[in-house]
Amino acid sequence: SSELTQDPAVSVALGQTVRITCQGDSLRSYYGSWYQQKPGQAPVLVIYGKNDRPSGIPDRFSGSSSGDTTSLTITGAQAEDEADYYCNSRDSSGNLVVFGGGTKLTVL
Amino acid sequence: QVQLQQWGAGLLKPSETLSLTCAVYGESFSDYYWSWMRQPPGKGLEWIGEINHSGSTNYNPSHKSRVTISVDTSKNQFSLKLSSVTAADTAVYYCARTRLYYDSRGYHEFDYWGQGTLVTVSS
């Protein structure tokens, strides 16, 4: 399969914890990666691999994987975390790249 | 510090060919794939295709007949051409470095991105 499925929108109260999920058959073979995109800006990698963060990404961002689902967790969400979040992986063949449809995170 | 800088024509007429180039600074071309993505206004990200330093390519089947991605390792640049554009090709186009590696599972991420180029197709 070459599809990754995300919830279109999620909301979280300021300072609370939120989990954004991404589901797809290819995630059984590949770790997903997660990108944050704010309006008018290029996407930024926030989580990759088993649970790795690029330099400069706050440690309130974490990732996990189980079966065909990968998750991005923000522990203690901040106002600046309000953004669109996309998951990404290769497809099961390894030859193509797929994105989830994106999740709009609102911090209340 | 790796930087990707992209450029190309921002306004095209239907049936013309989109042409974008991405220059890579601060990193060798080897050991990575180099990708193009796009994002139509108000919509999600779409992968177009990728190339490695030896010129091996993979393309999104949705665009394969119209897309050519090439590489110039002497200049540390890679390019995208999309032929016969229509209004549906209006989008912000991004280049990015792709890391792809394996242990018991595969790992794939776009760790560095270009700034994006808005391409508008209009008569």
Side-chain angles (χ1 to χ4, degrees):
Chain A
S1 171
S2 59
E3 292 184 355
L4 296 178
T5 301
Q6 298 181 239
D7 290 331
V10 171
S11 62
V12 61
L14 184 67
Q16 296 304 300
T17 297
V18 62
R19 174 173 291 182
I20 301 171
T21 61
C22 173
Q23 184 177 23
D25 287 344
S26 64
L27 296 174
R28 298 183 184 277
S29 303
Y30 286 87
Y31 289 103
S33 50
W34 287 94
Y35 305 85
Q36 178 192 69
Q37 187 180 34
K38 297 181 180 179
Q41 298 182 18
V44 173
L45 178 67
V46 293
I47 290 290
Y48 65 96
K50 296 174 185 176
N51 180 18
D52 292 306
R53 284 176 288 106
S55 175
I57 301 302
D59 61 5
R60 63 179 180 271
F61 290 88
S62 64
S64 62
S65 176
S66 179
D68 67 351
T69 301
T70 186
S71 301
L72 171 70
T73 300
I74 306 174
T75 304
Q78 302 299 303
E80 61 263 33
D81 300 333
E82 187 163 288
D84 294 326
Y85 290 85
Y86 294 92
C87 64
N88 164 249
S89 174
R90 312 284 293 186
D91 78 340
S92 298
S93 75
N95 294 324
L96 304 179
V97 175
V98 290
F99 280 99
T103 298
K104 183 176 183 59
L105 176 67
T106 301
V107 180
L108 303 172
Chain B
Q1 178 71 0
V2 179
Q3 293 186 34
L4 277 67
Q5 184 171 356
Q6 58 182 100
W7 65 88
L11 181 61
L12 297 174
K13 291 181 167 49
S15 79
E16 291 184 335
T17 295
L18 179 156
S19 182
L20 298 174
T21 298
C22 184
V24 180
Y25 301 99
E27 181 60 82
S28 166
F29 245 58
S30 302
D31 300 327
Y32 301 102
Y33 272 85
W34 303 90
S35 296
W36 288 98
M37 273 73 68
R38 72 180 186 179
Q39 186 171 35
K43 295 188 178 181
L45 294 165
E46 180 185 34
W47 176 73
I48 299 172
E50 64 187 4
I51 192 166
N52 68 6
H53 68 283
S54 63
S56 176
T57 55
N58 291 305
Y59 295 132
N60 186 327
S62 298
H63 311 298
K64 189 172 184 177
S65 63
R66 297 193 293 134
V67 172
T68 301
I69 298 177
S70 59
V71 65
D72 185 340
T73 55
S74 67
K75 296 181 178 179
N76 262 25
Q77 295 176 0
F78 62 108
S79 298
L80 169 69
K81 291 188 184 301
L82 180 67
S83 64
S84 304
V85 297
T86 69
D89 295 310
T90 293
V92 176
Y93 287 75
Y94 294 101
C95 60
R97 188 178 83 168
T98 307
R99 294 198 307 182
L100 174 62
Y101 48 105
Y102 298 87
D103 55 25
S104 58
R105 290 174 69 177
Y107 297 73
H108 175 273
E109 58 259 7
F110 300 116
D111 58 349
Y112 291 97
W113 294 66
Q115 77 276 18
T117 301
L118 175 61
V119 177
T120 302
V121 181
S122 175
S123 56

